[in-house]
Amino acid sequence: MKSRTKGINTICTHVGEVKDEQFKGAISPIYLSSSYAFMDVDVKRYPRYFNTPNQEALCKKIAALEGTEDALIFGSGMAAVSTALLAFLKAGDHIVLQETLYGGTYNLVVEEFHKYGIEYTFTKGLDEAAFAKAITPKTKVIYIETPSNPLMKVTDMTMVSSLAKANGIVTMIDNTFASPVNQNPLQFGIDVIIHSATKYMGGHSDICAGAIATSKEHTERIWNLAKNLGGSLSDMTVWMLERSMKTMAIRVKAQNKNAKKLAKWLSKNDAVAKVYYPGLKSHPDYELAKRQMTGFGGMMSFELQDHIDAEAFQKALKLIKPSMSLAGVESTMLCPAQTSHALLGEEERAKQGISDGLIRFSVGIEDKEDLIADIEQALAEVHSAVTLVES
Ligand SMILES: *Cc1c(COP(=O)(O)O)cnc(C)c1O
């Protein structure tokens, strides 16, 4: 098993650069060509073959960050998810997926897989018995996501990979919420690591991209399908992503630190009924999170007390933006029931423990005092509105 050979900030800054041989500039030049020579060359390059100079360079950075042999980048996180899954599944195969998944992945499975004759089972729970029970003789892939969206449940990666290996099954993880800064699933035996690079890798809410980090053998298998499906990333965006990733580790570490402080502060606030953050000792998966994560991440969820309107609270925020998506340097909040998990329906949401008032909080890099002050003023405003109505 390969692990990181350099410090994470050095990898973020320097690994996977396109060398500027002509002018010796400090940063990677962008090669926008969609047409390359085919005679007398080692590699036939084309953007949809995932092998332009900028695409190849960035893949080296991502592979170095995850400690894998190779990597591929895609036009979106879902392009990475769908290509990885379809590369390992065909008609008659079966996949086990953990019960709480990113909404887009859930929709891909339930809306599309029946068209291809791929069978699937969502686990009931995240413990070993739940995974073992879901496996059938036809199971080819086990797919997990940890920490999960939005309740930050943690899945035991070693347990899943051991179970899969004993049954000749390939394991895949959506590692978006942790980012390669906080969690390297290869160390726990997971085979295929997927990222929505739209999130922490991009980090500035201005890029849509995806990535897969895995072995050379699996990369080749995924590439064979990827070039046919065509979900490659434009070199302009590849270059922006490389630029963003130079600061990924310092951004994510700042977000880890802010999130831990905010989670502690929220859990002591009378207006807050419950906080879901794997870095809190009160979180049921705290010990497991400590074993497999080097930082607890910038994502959490919380529930306000019943009498406080979650929507009014978010409207009263002045600094924190109520908005879709996550992991930017700016803090954002949203209600999963209205956004990421709206399509699940009320019953399924209730089953998964996602209440209408649950708020997901993506903590940015602002000063924590300002974030706290913003939440305090919003709570005060909602509280005074309630008192006005009552009196
Ligand atoms: C956003 C997200 C995705 C999908 O990524 P896109 O870039 O939006 O396609 C997949 N998994 C998780 C956990 C995400 O947060």
Side-chain angles (χ1 to χ4, degrees), residues 75-79 81 102 104-105 143 145 149 174 176-177 195-199 207-210 325-326 360:
S76 70
M78 283 313 299
V81 170
Y102 175 71
T105 308
Y143 186 99
E145 188 178 313
N149 181 25
D174 184 330
T176 302
F177 268 39
H195 286 276
S196 168
T198 311
K199 314 297 164 53
I207 283 174
C208 183
S325 203
L326 58 112
R360 194 187 72 189

Side-chain angles (χ1 to χ4, degrees), residues 137 229 243 279 291:
L229 293 182
R243 184 188 203 273
R291 278 207 300 281

Side-chain angles (χ1 to χ4, degrees), residues 98-313:
Q98 83 169 48
E99 63 178 350
T100 44
L101 281 185
Y102 175 71
T105 308
Y106 176 85
N107 293 341
L108 169 72
V109 171
V110 302
E111 290 174 12
E112 307 297 335
F113 275 18
H114 67 95
K115 297 178 195 164
Y116 304 101
I118 300 165
E119 291 167 24
Y120 56 86
T121 305
F122 288 96
T123 62
K124 292 191 175 63
L126 299 179
D127 59 358
E128 182 160 12
F131 280 92
K133 200 172 153 209
I135 293 173
T136 77
K138 293 186 201 163
T139 306
K140 293 288 172 356
V141 175
I142 301 181
Y143 186 99
I144 61 170
E145 188 178 313
T146 180
S148 71
N149 181 25
L151 295 176
M152 309 301 140
K153 288 185 188 168
V154 183
T155 308
D156 187 335
M157 292 187 277
T158 306
M159 175 275 285
V160 169
S161 70
S162 311
L163 188 63
K165 282 197 174 76
N167 290 279
I169 298 168
V170 169
T171 45
M172 297 187 185
I173 187 171
D174 184 330
N175 202 28
T176 302
F177 268 39
S179 91
V181 180
N182 289 327
Q183 179 168 283
N184 290 133
L186 183 71
Q187 292 174 355
F188 304 92
I190 302 292
D191 299 311
V192 179
I193 304 157
I194 305 169
H195 286 276
S196 168
T198 311
K199 314 297 164 53
Y200 287 104
M201 288 185 176
H204 296 72
S205 309
D206 56 7
I207 283 174
C208 183
I212 300 177
T214 184
S215 64
K216 278 229 172 315
E217 187 189 344
H218 288 334
T219 301
E220 195 175 320
R221 180 172 180 152
I222 295 164
W223 180 82
N224 277 319
L225 175 67
K227 71 180 195 311
N228 293 339
L229 293 182
S232 56
L233 186 63
S234 98
D235 283 298
M236 202 73 98
T237 313
V238 171
W239 186 87
M240 281 179 73
L241 187 53
E242 187 205 328
R243 184 188 203 273
S244 299
M245 287 182 66
K246 292 182 185 191
T247 57
M248 179 174 67
I250 53 173
R251 277 189 276 110
V252 169
K253 284 179 185 178
Q255 286 165 305
N256 287 345
K257 212 165 141 190
N258 261 357
K260 200 166 178 182
K261 293 258 162 63
L262 266 292
K264 279 189 181 153
W265 180 81
L266 282 169
S267 59
K268 285 188 199 124
N269 193 307
D270 288 342
V272 177
K274 201 160 176 160
V275 180
Y276 302 86
Y277 184 64
L280 286 180
K281 289 203 177 76
S282 57
H283 191 287
D285 302 327
Y286 172 72
E287 288 299 330
L288 176 59
K290 229 170 65 174
R291 278 207 300 281
Q292 51 188 38
M293 303 180 80
T294 52
F296 296 109
M299 297 300 302
M300 74 180 78
S301 292
F302 62 94
E303 266 156 22
L304 294 171
Q305 299 290 1
D306 274 346
H307 64 278
I308 307 174
D309 181 342
E311 196 174 323
F313 163 73

